[in-house]
Every structure is written in C-alpha cells, then in structure tokens.
Amino acid sequence: MRIRVLIVVLCLCLFIPLNAQKVGLVLSGGGAKGIAHIGMIKALEENDIPIDYITGTSMGAIVGGLYAAGYSPDEMMTLIKSEDFQNWMSGKVEDRFQYYFRNENPTPEMFNLNIWLKDSTSSNKNFLLPSNLINPRQMNIVFTQLFGPASASSDYDFNYLMVPFRCVASDVYERKPIICEKGDLGDAIRASMSFPFVFKPIKLNGVLAYDGGIFDNFPVHTMISDFNPDYIIGSKVASARLAADERDIIGQMENMVMDKTDYSVPENKGLLLSFELRDVNLLDFGKADSIYKLGYEKAMGLLDSIQRNVSRRVPLEDLKDKRKRFKGQLPELTFKKIIIKGVTPLQKEYIKNELPEEGSAFTYEEFKQAYFRLLSNPKISEIIPHAVYNYYDRTYDLHLDFKVENKLQLSFGGLISSQNFNEIYLGATYQSLAPLSHTYGMDLQLGKTYNSVSLRSRTDIPSFSVPMSLHILSAFSGRRYYEGEKIFDFRDNTAFISQKDYYLKLKLGFPFRTKGKVELGLGYGSMVDDYYQSTLSSSVSRSLDKSRYNLAVGSVFFDTNTLNSSQYPTKGRRTSLLTQIIWGTEYYFKNGSGVSTDRANLAYLQFAAKHEYYKRFGSHLVLGQSIDMAFSSSRFLNNYTSTIIAAPSFTPTPHSKMIFNEAFRANQFAAAGIKPIWRFNDNFHLRSEFYAFLPYKEIKSDAKYRAYYGKDFRTIKWMGELSAVAQFSKICLSGYLNYYKSPVSSWNVGFNIGYLLFTPKLVE
C-alpha cells in the first residue's frame, strides 16, 4: 500500500511541472510608444511573474525579440537611450566609420536627379521619389550584431530562443500576414517593423515583407494557435485612429496603412494593458524614460489581478541565471567564409579586395569597417549581411547581398546672392564598378562673377589594408572682382581684376585612418590675370595690364576632416597641410599689348596650414576656433598688383571669398579666429566670427607700382561677421553683417541662398 501511495506521489510530482501554468505575452506595434512594453516586462520580472512565450508586431517585435534573445529590460533601455540607437533609427553613420577618403570636392548642388541605366544586375526603371525616409545601412548591419548569435544558438528555430517567440510581417501582394517562426531572427524583426515609406522593406523567402501592423498589429491569435498558453497578458500601445495633423506625415501614413485590428484578449483567457500615448509619435524615442515609466506603473497597478490569475512564480534570481546561461552559450560573432551575391564576377573582384582576407578569422568590428567603406562608394546603394553559423569550425559564414546601381546622376544648384555672385550650377556624374571603381564627372558653374567648367575622373584601387585612388582633373575657371560692389547692384560694372585659370592635374590619394587622406599631385597649366594698376587704391588710372604664368606644380596635401558642413560648420574639426613646389615662367604685357614686355623664370615653395575646431558647451553654445598660416618663398613679380594677386589670401567667411581685399594677402602670415555660436538645433544657428590677421612682412606699393616689404610684424588687420544661418542637407540660407578694418573701415550687409564653392585652382 505504501509503495502504491509513493508511486502516485511521484507521478504527481512529475506531472505537475509538465503542466505548470504557462504565460504568454502579446505586444502590439506602435513605434516609440512600444517602450511601454519594456516597463511592463520590468514590473512582471520584479514580481516573479513568468513569461513563457512572446508574440509581437513591429515595435512589439523588437522588444519581444530582444527579450527572447536574452536582453533584460535594463539592457533594452540602455540600448534605446544610447547614441548608437539614435544613429540606427536615423541611418546616420558614426564619425569613426565615415570614410572621408572617398569624399569628392563639395559642389553647390541643391538637388539631384538619378537616371537609372539598365545592366546585368538592375532594371531600367527610373524612380524619382525615395523608397524610404531612413537609410537602412545602419539597421542592415546592426541587426546582424544584435540577433545573429541568438539565431545561431537556437539553430534558427524561434522555439529554442531564451523565450519561444513569434513575430508578424505583412505580404502586401497576397494581402495576408506572415508568421515568422524560423530563420534569421534579425530578418524577421526587420520585416515586422518595416513601416512603409519610413523603413525599407526586406525579402523573407523571396517575398517583399512590410510592417506586420498592416494586417495584424496585435498577434493574440498567433499566440493561441502556436503556443496556447494558460494565461495571456496583452500590451497595447497603438492609439485609436484619429485624424492626423496636416503637418504630421508619419501620422497620416499610420492611419492609411494600419488595418483595423482586434486588440482584445479572449474572455477568461487573460488581461489587456492598454496605453493612451497620443502625444508620442512613431519615432519619438527621446521620450523613452517617461514612456517606460508609464508602462511600469500601469503593470504595477494591475499586479493584483495578474497575481490572482497567475499562481506560478519564477524567482528573479532564477530568471537571471537562465538568461546568463543562454547568453553564455551564444557563439561569438567571428567570420571566415564570405559569400557575395547580387553583383557581376568583375564587381565581385572589386568587393573582395575591400573586405578582410577570406579564410582567416575576422571580427564583427573589422567587417563593420569594411562594410561602411564599401557603402561610401556611390555605386553600391545597399548591402544586406547575414551571419550563418558554421557548426564545424564555430565561426560564421558571412553572406552579403549587394544592390549595385547603374545610374547617371544629374545635379542642379547654384547661389542666389545680394552681391554680384549669383550663379547656376550643373553637374553630371557616372560611376562604374568592374573590377576597379571609376567615377566620371563634369561640373559647370555660370555667373557674372565666376565661371568654370571641369572634367574629372577618379579610379579607386581597392585594398583592405592600403587602398589608393587616381584622380585626373581638367578645369577652366574665370573670376572677376568688381569695384565698389553694393547690395542689389546689378549694373554692368567694369571688373578691376579678371583671372583665368586652366590646367590638367593628376593626383594619387591614400586614406589616413577613416577621417583623413594624403594626396600627391602633379599639374601643369596657365594662369592669366588682367588688372588695373591703380584700382586697388583709386580709380584715376585705367591702364589695363596683363600677367600670364605657365606653371608646373607638384604638391603634397594632408587633410583630416570631421566638420559637419563645408560652410558654416558647428561641429567637428579639420586640419589640413598643403605643400607646393611651383616652377615656370612669368610673362608681363603692359597696357594689354599682344607682345610680352618682360619675361622671368619662377621657382618657389608654398606652404599652408589650417586648423578649425568646434566645441559644444551645453545644448546650445558652441565655441569655434581657427588658426591659419601661410608661407611663400616667391619673389616679387613684375609689379605690386600682380604680386598681391598671386600672394596667399586669408578668406575665412563666404563674403571674404567674394571680394578682393589686398589687406588680407601676404606671402607669409598667421591668422586666428574665435567663433561663438548659439545653436538652436541641427538646422538653425546664430553665428559670430572675429579674426585677426598678422602678416610677417606687409607687401606695399611705391609710386611706380613696384612691390616692397614693410617692417616685420608691424600691423594687425581685423575682420568680423555676424550671421543668421539655416542649413539643410542640400541648401544653406544665410544673412550676414560684417566689418573690415582694412584697407579702410567698411561695413557690408547681405544674404546668400546656397553654398559658395569653387573649382580647385592650379595653385591653391
């Protein structure tokens, strides 16, 4: 009898754990509102409420997927509040991965038009509108890091994650939900959160998949059909449909694409936590703390009801041990084999040279460096990586699906100015990739004051260790300086200096880490200056002279740059060093005659160093600093005017680049500036700039217009400017008021719409 009783007791002890009460968690979509899910999970964990299964859609898929992959609520909040997460949700690339070496010289373009050309890897369809607001380059790689090891550890079966998991995506062609239960966890979550027009959709098993909220924003039926738990806790953060504000494009899209969803939990089957977060937008992740707190407090307020219905408890320490064991068995993200898809054999050859050497193990960080380097090539529009675990050598096979664009890019822009510097810009660029990367371009700037046309080519020679680039630039530019320019002065004034510059340059470039480059240059061309000898001081004499220089130039250029804008920066730093050796012949034509009246040989060294740095104090104040130095061993040219035109100049502001100011030119000088800036946000700021210019020896003119040096370090020249600036991705609006102390005290006021940028000169 005792034996029978003992057997029954043992059977009950074995049977009860197998049939212990199971709890399922259903998480709705809702963008940033879904952070409330994390607060709710935190409250459940602290009170030993078990979570045995999770289903989620969109943001619910992100939170649920992270939890199933072993992330605690605290780790999820740290992740969401991090700068990295902000970069992922905006598509912004961290400074350390922005590959400055690939940047071309900036141009004054305002918008681009892409014309797609058909090749073996793309269609010939042209799309004028972007497919998504947020560039997917960050998410494509970071989801590999976040979910790749968990996918491998579970053998790509979501039932074997730390918590069994399902998420929902949408097949808009067949108009039905897609239930994700196997495969790459990162792909499943990416598909579930691909809100139309905001995030780019991805393919799941050959099907283009969008946000799961289109057909099922609260996957309670998936929870019942796949797991059938004893009790369901639902968390609904999606707001009721309301008329979106006419300025809220995302809200309008949310109303259009989200189908009506039943957010109820079956009667006697569980509990629904419903959150009203009408003041939180889809991408309002800056309110993470307050949203999390609301989720936590809501769950704590309903804790008594949950505890009455869920009798089973899982102590928090046991849960922590389970999470630690699960994360301890995650295989490290180390790669060996590389599989490349979506490109031609010749393009594959180029790509392989940019990646770490196949066959030897390399880390995720090494791959990330190569990933962003490849994406800096305009020909490559997207790379979708997958980490597939190789159980034989315990490394991952890296599958890379490339999207290569065969397109002609047309650029349009220019400058609208209150000065005489209005101009139109037209540009065209084409890239090819097989097996080297080639870029061909033409730039045209047309205006009253400045004109230029240039043809350029660039060949990138790939290498993971030491890549190189070969540049060829052929250019012609013409520049006029007008006497006594006034605001809105559109008269056909006579230019007192007219410059022409035409040349051919070859440059060999090498990267210096990720934010710098070194260029070795060789060029040959001519510079022609037409000028009135006395205009710099008076307008009495109108005798036109000309100087022509046939020159060969060798140069070494070093540049590191993290500035956030080519004009009016508010963040970062830049250091550049330029050394040039110049030799050739000077020809002087008095009174513009066709016969040279003087000829002389030239050979000199020219050096320039610049450093610019911006530091933020608090959320609004930025302090900029700059130092400029120049040295030229050039002798005096035929006359004072030709000498001062050829001398290195100090032009730190857009307006100073528009005008000819002889006071800020010298063969040797040092200059310094300080720039207090009040920054309202990323787009608007008020800027003040104050500069001191100290020539080593001031270049002066005698009565016969011959140049001579003044005394050493005798005069300091001053300039300053106040400006209001509105900057956007392709356009800059600025209004300014400035002051020059020399050569005479003068004030100037005006505005510019666009960027003031020039074609590089033969002698910089």
Side-chain angles (χ1 to χ4, degrees):
M1 184 68 176
R2 291 180 180 177
I3 294 175
R4 291 179 181 176
V5 172
L6 182 60
I7 291 173
V8 171
V9 172
L10 288 173
C11 289
L12 288 173
C13 290
L14 291 172
F15 179 76
I16 290 172
L18 291 175
N19 291 276
Q21 191 179 33
K22 300 290 186 179
V23 178
L25 199 60
V26 180
L27 309 177
S28 81
K33 303 170 189 177
I35 297 171
H37 299 323
I38 304 174
M40 183 264 292
I41 292 172
K42 178 70 172 178
L44 297 180
E45 280 196 354
E46 286 182 349
N47 291 277
D48 301 338
I49 304 299
I51 300 173
D52 299 294
Y53 313 107
I54 296 181
T55 62
T57 295
S58 196
M59 188 62 186
I62 297 177
V63 173
L66 286 169
Y67 191 79
Y71 288 81
S72 69
D74 290 341
E75 288 172 331
M76 284 190 273
M77 284 302 295
T78 299
L79 184 69
I80 286 173
K81 292 164 62 176
S82 69
E83 185 177 348
D84 284 342
F85 185 85
Q86 301 304 318
N87 292 335
W88 304 338
M89 297 305 293
S90 65
K92 179 185 175 183
V93 179
E94 304 98 302
D95 286 344
R96 64 193 180 102
F97 291 114
Q98 290 183 2
Y99 199 43
Y100 180 61
F101 174 61
R102 284 258 168 75
N103 289 4
E104 297 286 347
N105 290 323
T107 59
E109 65 184 52
M110 293 183 179
F111 65 94
N112 299 317
L113 175 64
N114 294 320
I115 300 176
W116 272 263
L117 308 174
K118 188 174 182 180
D119 64 12
S120 59
T121 62
S122 65
S123 70
N124 61 350
K125 293 181 179 179
N126 286 296
F127 302 97
L128 297 180
L129 295 177
S131 62
N132 50 283
L133 289 175
I134 297 176
N135 194 308
R137 58 193 172 187
Q138 280 280 16
M139 285 189 179
N140 285 346
I141 188 169
V142 78
F143 273 50
T144 301
Q145 178 192 23
L146 291 175
F147 301 110
S151 297
S153 178
S154 64
D155 198 18
Y156 301 93
D157 187 334
F158 300 170
N159 287 324
Y160 297 102
L161 293 166
M162 192 192 86
V163 177
F165 173 71
R166 298 286 187 272
C167 67
V168 179
S170 295
D171 180 347
V172 295
Y173 181 75
E174 295 290 343
R175 295 196 57 79
K176 66 179 183 180
I178 303 170
I179 310 303
C180 303
E181 57 183 341
K182 290 185 178 181
D184 188 285
L185 179 61
D187 276 1
I189 294 171
R190 267 292 312 279
S192 183
M193 59 162 288
S194 293
F195 191 86
F197 195 62
V198 178
F199 301 109
K200 193 172 184 178
I202 67 169
K203 286 188 176 181
L204 289 179
N205 300 319
V207 175
L208 202 60
Y210 288 84
D211 193 296
I214 296 174
F215 296 116
D216 188 1
N217 201 38
F218 187 68
V220 66
H221 298 296
T222 301
M223 173 64 73
I224 295 170
S225 62
D226 283 27
F227 300 123
N228 194 27
D230 300 289
Y231 194 77
I232 295 174
I233 300 174
S235 180
K236 169 189 171 289
V237 297
S239 300
R241 286 194 174 195
L242 296 172
D245 190 284
E246 61 184 11
R247 296 165 295 179
D248 182 8
I249 297 175
I250 302 300
Q252 295 172 34
M253 289 292 297
E254 191 173 6
N255 278 344
M256 284 190 287
V257 304
M258 293 301 174
D259 206 354
K260 292 183 178 180
T261 296
D262 181 6
Y263 290 101
S264 63
V265 174
E267 191 176 354
N268 301 323
K269 189 71 175 178
L271 175 73
L272 177 67
L273 282 74
S274 183
F275 301 91
E276 288 298 327
L277 295 159
R278 294 180 181 177
D279 60 337
V280 179
N281 296 321
L282 192 73
L283 302 176
D284 240 343
F285 290 96
K287 300 177 180 178
D289 284 330
S290 60
I291 301 170
Y292 170 85
K293 182 180 179 183
L294 183 63
Y296 180 84
E297 291 175 348
K298 183 88 171 186
M300 292 297 291
L302 295 172
L303 189 62
D304 288 344
S305 177
I306 296 171
Q307 288 176 331
R308 282 196 303 270
N309 289 280
V310 179
S311 58
R312 176 169 154 252
R313 298 288 181 267
V314 175
L316 183 56
E317 290 304 315
D318 291 353
L319 178 60
K320 289 181 178 179
D321 287 342
K322 178 184 178 182
R323 180 176 289 124
K324 184 177 180 180
R325 289 193 304 272
F326 179 82
K327 295 173 79 170
Q329 67 185 12
L330 299 179
E332 185 180 354
L333 207 54
T334 303
F335 305 98
K336 267 192 179 179
K337 188 177 180 181
I338 303 173
I339 297 95
I340 298 171
K341 299 181 292 183
V343 295
T344 66
L346 290 177
Q347 291 170 343
K348 184 182 292 186
E349 184 179 337
Y350 170 87
I351 291 166
K352 280 188 172 182
N353 287 326
E354 287 276 29
L355 292 167
E357 185 178 353
E358 188 177 10
S360 58
F362 57 94
T363 65
Y364 171 79
E365 285 297 314
E366 289 175 311
F367 164 59
K368 190 174 182 180
Q369 178 184 347
Y371 170 86
F372 284 116
R373 181 190 294 181
L374 280 164
L375 283 174
S376 68
N377 189 316
K379 183 79 174 176
I380 300 172
S381 62
E382 189 175 8
I383 307 171
I384 302 176
H386 290 99
V388 180
Y389 192 59
N390 190 326
Y391 296 92
Y392 297 103
D393 61 5
R394 297 183 180 180
T395 63
Y396 292 82
D397 295 341
L398 182 59
H399 293 248
L400 300 175
D401 188 2
F402 281 79
K403 297 186 186 300
V404 177
E405 293 181 343
N406 189 26
K407 66 181 180 181
L408 174 67
Q409 179 175 285
L410 303 179
S411 302
F412 307 90
L415 181 73
I416 300 172
S417 175
S418 58
Q419 304 293 123
N420 277 326
F421 233 91
N422 298 284
E423 66 174 32
I424 295 172
Y425 167 77
L426 303 172
T429 303
Y430 175 76
Q431 292 97 21
S432 67
L433 188 68
L436 302 178
S437 174
H438 300 283
T439 302
Y440 307 96
M442 182 194 74
D443 300 286
L444 179 66
Q445 291 176 257
L446 299 172
K448 178 181 178 181
T449 303
Y450 182 76
N451 295 275
S452 77
V453 59
S454 65
L455 300 173
R456 52 186 164 83
S457 74
R458 171 178 177 146
T459 299
D460 283 287
I461 305 166
S463 169
F464 182 70
S465 53
V466 187
M468 293 185 293
S469 65
L470 177 64
H471 305 248
I472 302 175
L473 177 63
S474 176
F476 167 81
S477 63
R479 174 75 183 268
R480 297 182 180 91
Y481 294 98
Y482 292 91
E483 183 180 6
E485 288 187 289
K486 303 294 183 181
I487 188 169
F488 303 120
D489 183 2
F490 301 112
R491 295 173 299 172
D492 189 19
N493 296 334
T494 301
F496 68 88
I497 295 176
S498 178
Q499 294 182 293
K500 298 181 181 67
D501 196 58
Y502 43 96
Y503 62 85
L504 177 67
K505 272 187 182 181
L506 303 175
K507 292 190 293 183
L508 185 64
F510 305 89
F512 179 76
R513 299 177 180 171
T514 58
K515 300 307 298 179
K517 62 182 177 182
V518 178
E519 292 180 342
L520 309 177
L522 184 63
Y524 181 79
S526 293
M527 300 188 306
V528 180
D529 296 337
D530 293 286
Y531 47 88
Y532 293 105
Q533 288 284 1
S534 63
T535 306
L536 298 178
S537 303
S538 69
S539 57
V540 176
S541 172
R542 285 296 179 185
S543 177
L544 178 69
D545 288 355
K546 176 184 294 197
S547 294
R548 190 182 79 214
Y549 311 93
N550 294 341
L551 302 175
V553 180
S555 63
V556 179
F557 179 55
F558 170 79
D559 190 25
T560 62
N561 189 351
T562 61
L563 297 180
N564 62 343
S565 176
S566 58
Q567 185 173 297
Y568 295 126
T570 59
K571 178 183 177 182
R573 67 177 66 206
R574 183 175 189 180
T575 301
S576 63
L577 305 171
L578 174 63
T579 300
Q580 299 175 97
I581 300 174
I582 299 124
W583 66 98
T585 307
E586 173 195 15
Y587 299 90
Y588 174 67
F589 303 85
K590 187 171 181 60
N591 297 325
S593 63
V595 179
S596 171
T597 58
D598 189 33
R599 179 180 182 274
N601 293 326
L602 293 173
Y604 61 98
L605 176 71
Q606 193 157 293
F607 173 79
K610 297 181 180 182
H611 178 72
E612 189 174 4
Y613 173 62
Y614 295 87
K615 184 175 181 179
R616 183 177 296 182
F617 296 89
S619 58
H620 296 290
L621 181 62
V622 176
L623 184 62
Q625 306 165 51
S626 66
I627 297 174
D628 287 66
M629 299 178 65
F631 169 85
S632 174
S633 65
S634 173
R635 61 168 176 79
F636 290 137
L637 302 179
N638 180 272
N639 54 76
Y640 167 77
T641 307
S642 61
T643 300
I644 203 72
I645 291 173
S649 61
F650 178 62
T651 55
T653 64
H655 182 266
S656 63
K657 290 178 172 62
M658 295 180 186
I659 65 172
F660 187 93
N661 189 330
E662 60 184 307
F664 293 88
R665 290 173 175 259
N667 280 334
Q668 302 90 29
F669 69 78
I674 186 168
K675 298 172 251 190
I677 300 167
W678 186 260
R679 177 183 171 277
F680 295 102
N681 53 42
D682 289 340
N683 302 114
F684 300 96
H685 69 266
L686 294 177
R687 188 181 194 91
S688 56
E689 304 177 56
F690 307 95
Y691 298 98
F693 173 84
L694 177 63
Y696 169 50
K697 292 177 183 289
E698 187 176 5
I699 302 174
K700 295 190 174 185
S701 175
D702 63 16
K704 295 183 178 181
Y705 302 116
R706 290 177 301 196
Y708 71 92
Y709 280 130
K711 294 182 179 181
D712 298 354
F713 300 116
R714 186 51 60 97
T715 57
I716 298 179
K717 314 294 178 68
W718 305 91
M719 73 168 78
E721 183 168 284
L722 300 175
S723 52
V725 180
Q727 279 188 320
F728 305 94
S729 60
K730 292 286 186 180
I731 194 168
C732 175
L733 293 81
S734 60
Y736 59 85
L737 170 68
N738 61 39
Y739 173 75
Y740 298 91
K741 178 68 174 177
S742 302
V744 294
S745 179
S746 65
W747 291 88
N748 301 273
V749 63
F751 68 85
N752 293 318
I753 301 174
Y755 288 96
L756 185 70
L757 299 167
F758 306 110
T759 300
K761 299 172 65 176
L762 174 61
V763 179
E764 293 291 337

